[in-house]
Amino acid sequence: AILGDIYQNHVAVHTMGKALNSPHASSRISSTSNVPALADKNRHCAKVRYQPWIDNEALSDGSYSSSAYGAQFLTTGSGLLQVWVDDFTLPVLTTPINLNTTLGLEEGMAWVGFTASTGIASQHHFVYSWSLVPGVCRSDCNSRGSCIEGVCYCQSEFYGPDCGKVVMIQDHADLGLCSNLDPGQSASPTQQGCSCAPGSSGPVGGPCYACPSNSFKPVAGPSPCIPCPPNSDTNRNAGMKLQTDCKCKAGYIGPDGGACQSVPEDTYKISSGLYPNTVIACPSNSGTHNQNAKTSKLDCLCKPGYSGPNGGPCLPCPSNSWKSSWGSASCDSACLPNSATFGCQGNGGNTACTSYFQCVCVDGYYGIPCLPGSLQALANKTCVPCVQSRHGPTKESFQDRKLQKTYTIDRADQREDPEYIPTTIKLNNPNL
């Protein structure tokens, strides 16, 4: 709190430029709390990637985060710093920053290291393994060359900083058949047609440019590139020639180049394309809560009656407690005195309970009628609140037991239960 830090489990980027860095909130340029529970005693994997340019796809990514404070570090250059945690298909944080000018690097070289702190608390931090891969290339050279220390070395028929341009066929250029000698043209059956090759687009005579990512062009000529079918992409590769180069995105499945359907509820798909075992079922006792097209294990939420982190494991709520919501909330709702859970979905019928109305009166105590048709009612149980009077919870019995609380019992939390019957029961109401 002294540092103005975010209380929640989070990832943040801090810098003071060329001055000594600080963990204080004043040095924070971006942050996110949309990360797995990092203190769950499990091992976690992270990836940090820096590129000295900004692309449009990153700007539209849901992980993009920036601040007014961070804008000062982009006045003399651009770049992106991205962070992944556990799921390496989608970043959790993308922030604009140019490290070279921000840190005043000498010839673009910098130190990389690790540090950890917990303030006044005591905690273990372990780094089990790590690696450094220098030299990120723009668009990964569009799969048309090799990335060596940040430079694209293009295959012979391509050129440009990202190998995105198509080299003119040399024989055709030597014959002088093209009036515009800008690179990009391919040979044509007639002298009049100096046209762009498949996978590239532009006017007759050029110049020609590779089809952008998420599009393709199967024929030569001036026709435009064709967008990929819905819910598919080319995995950021440019210059694609065939519709089958369009693969179903993460969260969708179907043949390459074909119709892509969302993966069903309670499953997820983490990567693009069609490959064996591509659709993965959520862990036991978790699901996607009526949602489909999910892309990460973290989209699997613990079901009502079960508790744990998003992505599992989800453990049943113990006896005499319940959890009515989806997600990582704890089973901190307890039965009222003189009652215990009964008729639940877990082992013994008294664990993994989802509702207050699965708390029934123990022997020697009596309550109100349970929901008609419920397991509790069929077993001739009575439901909370529970008193010793055989007549059940009357106004007098509440006062005799000094229960300083008026109970209004609404069956609203049972509306997702197939056994729910709309009922409202009010206790201690003088109008009853």
Side-chain angles (χ1 to χ4, degrees):
I2 296 176
L3 298 174
D5 209 353
I6 302 173
Y7 176 76
Q8 298 98 328
N9 189 60
H10 72 282
V11 170
V13 177
H14 289 249
T15 185
M16 295 288 286
K18 298 175 184 178
L20 293 177
N21 207 350
S22 168
H24 195 275
S26 61
S27 68
R28 186 171 61 237
I29 61 174
S30 64
S31 64
T32 179
S33 57
N34 185 28
V35 295
L38 299 177
D40 60 0
K41 299 183 180 180
N42 294 320
R43 294 189 184 187
H44 294 276
C45 297
K47 180 174 75 171
V48 180
R49 182 180 189 263
Y50 173 72
Q51 62 184 45
W53 67 85
I54 293 179
D55 53 55
N56 292 331
E57 290 185 2
L59 293 176
S60 61
D61 191 281
S63 67
Y64 185 83
S65 173
S66 184
S67 66
Y69 168 71
Q72 63 182 299
F73 302 114
L74 290 169
T75 57
T76 57
S78 63
L80 283 178
L81 185 69
Q82 294 182 289
V83 181
W84 289 258
V85 179
D86 289 345
D87 180 2
F88 285 1
T89 60
L90 295 172
V92 298
L93 183 63
T94 298
T95 188
I97 187 172
N98 185 281
L99 294 183
N100 194 35
T101 57
T102 299
L103 303 179
L105 302 180
E106 295 183 7
E107 298 182 358
M109 303 297 289
W111 292 97
V112 176
F114 303 92
T115 186
S117 175
T118 57
I120 62 173
S122 176
Q123 195 176 53
H124 292 293
H125 296 260
F126 298 99
V127 178
Y128 291 97
S129 64
W130 69 279
S131 61
L132 179 65
V133 181
V136 175
C137 289
R138 185 187 296 264
S139 302
D140 295 325
C141 303
N142 285 302
S143 300
R144 295 174 166 188
S146 301
C147 180
I148 302 176
E149 296 186 353
V151 177
C152 285
Y153 290 84
C154 304
Q155 299 171 14
S156 59
E157 63 268 35
F158 306 107
Y159 79 105
D162 58 356
C163 303
K165 295 184 178 181
V166 185
V167 175
M168 182 193 302
I169 293 180
Q170 190 62 42
D171 290 343
H172 200 181
D174 290 344
L175 293 174
L177 299 180
C178 298
S179 58
N180 187 336
L181 298 182
D182 287 339
Q185 292 80 14
S186 66
S188 174
T190 65
Q191 296 185 5
Q192 290 76 24
C194 192
S195 57
C196 298
S200 62
S201 183
V204 173
C208 300
Y209 297 95
C211 289
S213 60
N214 306 334
S215 67
F216 64 97
K217 180 168 171 275
V219 296
S223 59
C225 300
I226 304 170
C228 284
N231 304 318
S232 67
D233 60 29
T234 60
N235 197 24
R236 297 195 176 189
N237 292 320
M240 297 295 101
K241 301 176 182 178
L242 304 175
Q243 183 169 335
T244 52
D245 292 323
C246 298
K247 317 289 185 182
C248 290
K249 296 179 180 179
Y252 294 85
I253 190 165
D256 292 344
C260 297
Q261 306 294 329
S262 58
V263 299
E265 181 183 356
D266 299 337
T267 66
Y268 61 97
K269 175 172 173 275
I270 64 175
S271 186
S272 63
L274 181 64
Y275 52 92
N277 303 318
T278 183
V279 180
I280 306 171
C282 284
S284 299
N285 308 320
S286 70
T288 58
H289 196 195
N290 301 321
Q291 302 292 318
N292 51 22
K294 293 302 180 181
T295 62
S296 168
K297 184 179 180 181
L298 298 178
D299 293 320
C300 298
L301 312 178
C302 292
K303 295 179 179 180
Y306 296 86
S307 182
N310 293 343
C314 297
L315 303 178
C317 294
S319 59
N320 303 333
S321 69
W322 80 92
K323 173 175 169 276
S324 60
S325 62
W326 287 75
S328 58
S330 60
C331 306
D332 55 2
S333 300
C335 289
L336 292 177
N338 310 316
S339 67
T341 47
F342 176 86
C344 303
Q345 57 189 328
N347 291 336
N350 62 350
T351 60
C353 302
T354 62
S355 170
Y356 172 93
F357 297 102
Q358 290 173 315
C359 296
V360 301
C361 298
V362 299
D363 292 344
Y365 289 82
Y366 306 89
I368 62 175
C370 297
L371 288 172
S374 67
L375 293 176
Q376 294 78 21
L378 294 175
N380 296 319
K381 302 288 185 179
T382 58
C383 287
V384 293
C386 305
V387 296
Q388 286 184 313
S389 170
R390 290 184 177 274
H391 299 290
T394 64
K395 179 178 180 181
E396 292 75 17
S397 64
F398 275 12
Q399 291 174 340
D400 291 343
R401 294 181 59 79
K402 297 181 180 180
L403 297 178
Q404 303 298 318
K405 189 173 183 180
T406 298
Y407 288 90
T408 300
I409 304 176
D410 184 3
R411 307 291 183 172
D413 68 343
Q414 293 290 297
R415 290 175 186 170
E416 294 185 3
D417 191 320
E419 298 179 350
Y420 169 67
I421 299 176
T423 307
T424 298
I425 300 176
K426 296 182 178 179
L427 304 181
N428 289 2
N429 188 331
N431 297 323
L432 292 179

